[in-house]
Amino acid sequence: MPRPIEALIHTTALAHNLARARESAPDAKVWAVVKADAYGHGIERAFEGLRAADGFALLDLDEAQRLRKLDWRGPILLLEGCFEARDLELCSRLKLWHAVHCEQQIDWLAMHKTHEPHRVFLKLNSGMNRLGFAPAAFRGAWNRLNALPQVDEISLMTHFSDADAQRFGQDGIAHQLALFDELTADLPGERSLANSAATLRHATRVRSDWVRAGIMSYGGVPDFPEHDDAHWDLRPAMTLRSRIIATQNLQPGDTVGYGSSFTADKPMRIGIVACGYADGYPRHAPTGTPVLVDGLATTTVGRVSMDMLSVDLTDLPEVRFGSEVTLWGQGPRGRHLPIDAVARSAGTIGYELMCALARRVPVSTVD
């Protein structure tokens, strides 16, 4: 028997979440963002659920090649653009669109020999302060690109830093949106502004010809815990599940796990689950992190170890050896455990847990 842990990728959930992006921004086209190997879900596994997208956005040229091998002939956008001059050759061969966020990338384009001009997305640094041209340099960059025979259409993009929250007591996108609108008002070209948070929260206010459906495509909630997946009608696309492989009866004063970080203050029954930090479960998840056992809510106890963790079965007398444990995602009895709830307990975000799924965990695709 293989070790009883597995991850399931739900293609119908992916398709549903993508449809929610369309409903939220009905006048826009949708990028399905598949960077980081589709947020840990696997591009090949996620593709069927996301193929209704108008395009795919990612970072890695290898991932772009994998999409083309899946017979995707539509747009693919490199969100960080090229990393060196020779990347432009592959952009030409694979017909990739790419972001331009610095002068070096324009220099490469100016030296590039191509028979077909490139579609580029000129990025404004409107306040995120990661990538993009500063406001004072943005128009100059547009003018340089517009003069190049190597460039066909110039689209315009930026990235909101606070679309998922309030900022200084005000709307989190207002200052960046105003700056973008001011600098691009008279420029032609399609716009791409809205990430998942902006698509869900601000789509009626943001003119975005393309929305970038990232975390929402996978059922993650960008503004959790203010809102949950039920509020936005999103469905978990990844389930991590295992089974109870042992039970222990504790007396008051007994401890659990490395470091004896949990001490029973009453008689308890705990279950040992075949899942640990080597599977991608967060080691720093404290006692009290939510979990489902046979679809019933309980919590972890003690420290997560490499291959196992412990859960409280005291109030679940029917649970026994072999019972199903849902670490996150869709569980029995129609119940589900949001990955964001597990992440919040562990002091992180659902994005990290998705991307951290370990290679040793078997993964299957289901409807």
Side-chain angles (χ1 to χ4, degrees), residues 2 37 49-50 54 63 71 77 86 93 97 111 125 171 211 217 228 250 260 267 274 284 297 309 320 325 355 364:
D37 200 16
L50 297 175
D54 299 290
E63 292 179 337
D71 205 29
L77 173 63
R86 65 179 180 177
R93 190 173 349 131
W97 302 356
M111 296 183 294
N125 175 12
D171 183 328
V211 297
S217 296
D228 61 12
L250 307 182
S260 299
H284 47 283
L309 56 82
R320 59 194 71 252
V325 179
C355 295
S364 302

Side-chain angles (χ1 to χ4, degrees), residues 74-92:
I76 297 176
L77 173 63
L78 296 177
L79 288 166
E80 294 180 3
C82 297
F83 297 104
E84 58 182 1
R86 65 179 180 177
D87 291 347
L88 288 167
E89 298 172 12
L90 198 54
C91 288
S92 294

Side-chain angles (χ1 to χ4, degrees), residues 132-148:
F133 287 90
F138 184 76
R139 294 298 291 249
W142 188 91
N143 288 330
R144 282 195 68 195
L145 287 171
N146 192 48
L148 291 179

Side-chain angles (χ1 to χ4, degrees), residues 40 58-59 81 95 114 120 122 131 135 185 189 196 203 243 302-303 305 315 337-338 359-360:
L58 41 69
L59 307 184
K95 301 185 184 303
T114 180
V120 299
L122 178 62
L131 302 179
S196 289
R243 294 193 176 275
R303 188 176 294 174
S305 56
D315 297 324
L337 176 60
R359 293 182 63 180
R360 76 174 186 173

Side-chain angles (χ1 to χ4, degrees), residues 8 44 62 76 78 86-87 102-103 131 134 146 159 179 242 319-320:
L8 305 177
E44 288 78 8
D62 175 68
I76 297 176
L78 296 177
R86 65 179 180 177
D87 291 347
C102 64
E103 293 286 353
L131 302 179
N146 192 48
H159 191 71
L179 179 61
S242 186
V319 169
R320 59 194 71 252

Side-chain angles (χ1 to χ4, degrees), residues 43-313:
I43 285 175
E44 288 78 8
R45 291 186 288 266
F47 178 70
E48 207 49 49
L50 297 175
R51 69 181 308 156
D54 299 290
F56 287 86
L58 41 69
L59 307 184
D60 194 292
L61 285 166
D62 175 68
E63 292 179 337
Q65 289 179 297
R66 288 160 59 190
L67 273 171
R68 291 300 187 216
K69 288 179 180 178
L70 290 168
D71 205 29
W72 174 254
R73 294 293 174 258
I76 297 176
L77 173 63
L78 296 177
L79 288 166
E80 294 180 3
C82 297
F83 297 104
E84 58 182 1
R86 65 179 180 177
D87 291 347
L88 288 167
E89 298 172 12
L90 198 54
C91 288
S92 294
R93 190 173 349 131
L94 296 178
K95 301 185 184 303
L96 306 181
W97 302 356
H98 49 99
V100 173
H101 62 77
C102 64
E103 293 286 353
Q104 185 64 62
Q105 290 174 327
I106 302 179
D107 293 341
W108 294 337
L109 274 165
M111 296 183 294
H112 179 54
K113 296 180 180 179
T114 180
H115 296 294
E116 294 185 26
H118 289 235
R119 171 80 175 268
V120 299
F121 279 66
L122 178 62
K123 187 162 191 175
L124 170 68
N125 175 12
S126 60
M128 183 73 157
N129 288 313
R130 294 192 311 190
L131 302 179
F133 287 90
F138 184 76
R139 294 298 291 249
W142 188 91
N143 288 330
R144 282 195 68 195
L145 287 171
N146 192 48
L148 291 179
Q150 293 90 341
V151 174
D152 180 14
E153 185 174 346
I154 305 172
S155 299
L156 309 169
M157 68 187 301
T158 195
H159 191 71
F160 295 125
S161 57
D162 299 288
D164 58 343
Q166 300 297 101
R167 182 177 185 268
F168 306 135
Q170 298 181 347
D171 183 328
I173 69 167
H175 63 298
Q176 290 184 261
L177 181 58
L179 179 61
F180 182 87
D181 286 345
E182 176 188 351
L183 289 173
T184 65
D186 61 337
L187 294 179
E190 292 186 324
R191 272 75 167 152
S192 179
L193 291 85
N195 57 4
S196 289
T199 299
L200 292 171
R201 294 171 65 108
H202 307 293
T204 58
R205 296 178 48 229
V206 177
R207 182 202 158 192
S208 200
D209 299 290
W210 288 87
V211 297
R212 303 189 296 272
I215 193 66
M216 69 175 297
S217 296
Y218 307 97
V221 181
D223 59 354
F224 187 88
E226 180 182 350
H227 296 114
D228 61 12
D229 51 5
H231 176 86
W232 294 122
D233 187 20
L234 299 173
R235 299 177 185 171
M238 177 190 289
T239 294
L240 180 63
R241 69 184 184 184
S242 186
R243 294 193 176 275
I244 300 291
I245 60 171
T247 60
Q248 300 290 341
N249 294 306
L250 307 182
Q251 298 302 315
D254 286 347
T255 62
V256 177
Y258 286 118
S260 299
S261 62
F262 177 83
T263 302
D265 60 1
K266 61 183 180 181
M268 295 181 66
R269 187 169 73 108
I270 64 169
I272 310 305
V273 183
C275 178
Y277 60 77
D279 301 299
Y281 195 86
R283 181 184 180 277
H284 47 283
T287 292
T289 297
V291 66
L292 301 178
V293 183
D294 283 343
L296 303 172
T298 186
T299 64
T300 63
V301 294
R303 188 176 294 174
V304 176
S305 56
M306 181 181 289
D307 309 305
M308 290 172 278
L309 56 82
S310 304
V311 296
D312 187 358
L313 303 181

